[in-house]
Amino acid sequence: MTSIMMTTDPFQQPGAVTAPLVRFLRYHYDSPALLHPQLPQLLSAQQPEAFCCNDNGNSEEYQDEGSLYWAYITTLVLRGCLRQAWAALQRHSLYQTALRILRHHQDT
């Protein structure tokens, strides 16, 4: 029995994967960072990079300050969702501070 992968694989190697397959898996593989219940609170926080998850001890994966924020951005970049990643990076307090300073200097 030959699989679809075997007939479309340019190298005719069993187990070889193609770039479209890798992109599909990256985009459709569920990441805990994208499904975290506190993600809406993180994205609306004034300092999302300092956001601490309060899971009541249920999960130790994102207990460090800002770890969920960076895991979320990294996951978006790996999936190729660069606009969403940039939107999340723009929420960073240092970006917001620099933007306020730039606007202040443009107004004066």
Side-chain angles (χ1 to χ4, degrees):
M1 176 186 343
T2 59
S3 68
I4 294 173
M5 179 182 265
M6 289 295 294
T7 59
T8 60
D9 178 23
F11 303 110
Q12 298 298 315
Q13 296 291 322
V17 293
T18 61
L21 177 62
V22 170
R23 281 192 293 272
F24 174 84
L25 291 174
R26 278 186 183 163
Y27 191 76
H28 291 90
Y29 179 74
D30 287 335
S31 168
L34 296 178
L35 301 174
H36 198 278
Q38 292 186 344
L39 194 58
Q41 291 92 348
L42 169 103
L43 295 176
S44 63
Q46 286 188 332
Q47 288 185 307
E49 72 278 4
F51 186 83
C52 285
C53 292
N54 185 9
D55 287 342
N56 298 327
N58 294 338
S59 169
E60 296 183 16
E61 188 171 4
Y62 301 115
Q63 293 300 317
D64 293 337
E65 192 174 275
S67 62
L68 176 59
Y69 178 71
W70 295 113
Y72 175 70
I73 291 172
T74 303
T75 302
L76 290 174
V77 170
L78 288 175
R79 287 183 174 206
C81 303
L82 301 181
R83 288 179 195 242
Q84 289 175 285
W86 179 242
L89 281 170
Q90 288 177 324
R91 298 285 307 143
H92 196 286
S93 64
L94 291 176
Y95 178 87
Q96 293 296 321
T97 302
L99 191 61
R100 278 192 293 274
I101 291 170
L102 180 65
R103 287 180 181 157
H104 175 71
H105 286 292
Q106 287 177 345
D107 292 340
T108 57

